[in-house]
Amino acid sequence: MSTIMAIAAHPGDGFFTMGATVAQHIHNGGRGVFLNLSLGEKGHPTLSPEAYGALQQQASEKAAKILGAEAAFLTYRDAEIPWNEEANLAVCDQIRRFKPLIVLTHWSGSWHKDHQNCHAIVRDAIFYAGLPAIARSLPAHSVEHLYFADNWEDAANYQPDTYLDTSAVYDNWLKACDAFPMWRGETGFRYNDYYRSLAVMRGCLSGCQYAVALMSSAEERVRHVKAL
Ligand SMILES: [Zn+2]
């Protein structure tokens, strides 16, 4: 049973932009993990970071359960996720712990520094996780595929090359997203309308009801063939 691991700066990114892909992998017989680098606790206009962080954690656990996935958390502060060796190694340890075949994360073309840093951390962490000479408590693990999610905040130069039919899990994915106050528009942006419509639009391009678009890492776009 292969594992897919979604690594996001904030829980909303994990579930709204990567959740349907994780749900589809589980639907196909795989295992799914959501790793949140922070709780996104500074994102509510009226609630305190403490109160909102607790809500976000509960929502993540509930949403993961609805999808039959696992939720894991690192404890970086929202808006202050650092790109440094400590973070690279912390995510490396989580990759070695869950042993994913596939990792999903943010695309680098983001205006949000947490998203940019998450992208960079995940790249380094995958490299470290696969390197036996990086001695940690768990043995090395090589990730085979890395994809970047279709996120309205990470849109600069985003060029999807892979479309995944998520029609079978669409309703359940919506139910999972609905665990989050921000999905319902409490923080300003209409996440619900945007990501539901995006699934419809990607489905139109893909010849199915609902789909997500993914962007492969540059290395995986290169093909080595003996015939075209
Ligand atoms: Zn975010």
Side-chain angles (χ1 to χ4, degrees), residues 108-145:
S108 60
S110 183
W111 61 265
H112 197 307
K113 68 186 271 283
D114 279 354
H115 293 199
Q116 290 173 17
N117 285 352
C118 182
H119 173 91
I121 290 166
V122 169
R123 278 197 169 283
D124 287 350
I126 287 174
F127 177 63
Y128 285 170
L131 209 55
I134 301 284
R136 307 290 292 171
S137 59
L138 292 170
H141 171 78
S142 293
V143 172
E144 298 211 3
H145 305 293

Side-chain angles (χ1 to χ4, degrees), residues 55 116 120 125 151 181 200 203:
L55 273 184
Q116 290 173 17
N151 186 322
V200 174

Side-chain angles (χ1 to χ4, degrees), residues 97-212:
R97 174 183 168 202
F98 290 108
K99 302 190 188 71
L101 175 78
I102 304 158
V103 167
L104 304 172
T105 194
H106 292 272
W107 170 236
S108 60
S110 183
W111 61 265
H112 197 307
K113 68 186 271 283
D114 279 354
H115 293 199
Q116 290 173 17
N117 285 352
C118 182
H119 173 91
I121 290 166
V122 169
R123 278 197 169 283
D124 287 350
I126 287 174
F127 177 63
Y128 285 170
L131 209 55
I134 301 284
R136 307 290 292 171
S137 59
L138 292 170
H141 171 78
S142 293
V143 172
E144 298 211 3
H145 305 293
L146 172 64
Y147 291 103
F148 308 116
D150 192 1
N151 186 322
W152 74 283
E153 292 175 306
D154 306 343
N157 302 316
Y158 184 79
Q159 293 182 326
D161 52 73
T162 304
Y163 286 76
L164 176 71
D165 182 346
T166 53
S167 307
V169 298
Y170 180 76
D171 290 340
N172 205 38
W173 166 67
L174 289 184
K175 215 180 290 170
C177 293
D178 204 40
F180 290 88
M182 66 190 290
W183 180 252
R184 302 188 291 269
E186 277 190 27
T187 58
F189 186 75
R190 289 156 57 202
Y191 287 93
N192 183 328
D193 283 342
Y194 181 82
Y195 285 109
R196 276 189 311 142
S197 308
L198 187 63
V200 174
M201 183 273 269
R202 294 305 192 191
C204 292
L205 296 177
S206 199
C208 59
Q209 194 68 35
Y210 303 110
V212 294

Side-chain angles (χ1 to χ4, degrees), residues 46-61:
T46 53
L47 291 175
S48 71
E50 292 71 26
Y52 189 51
L55 273 184
Q56 289 270 89
Q57 175 146 3
Q58 283 165 17
S60 303
E61 282 162 0

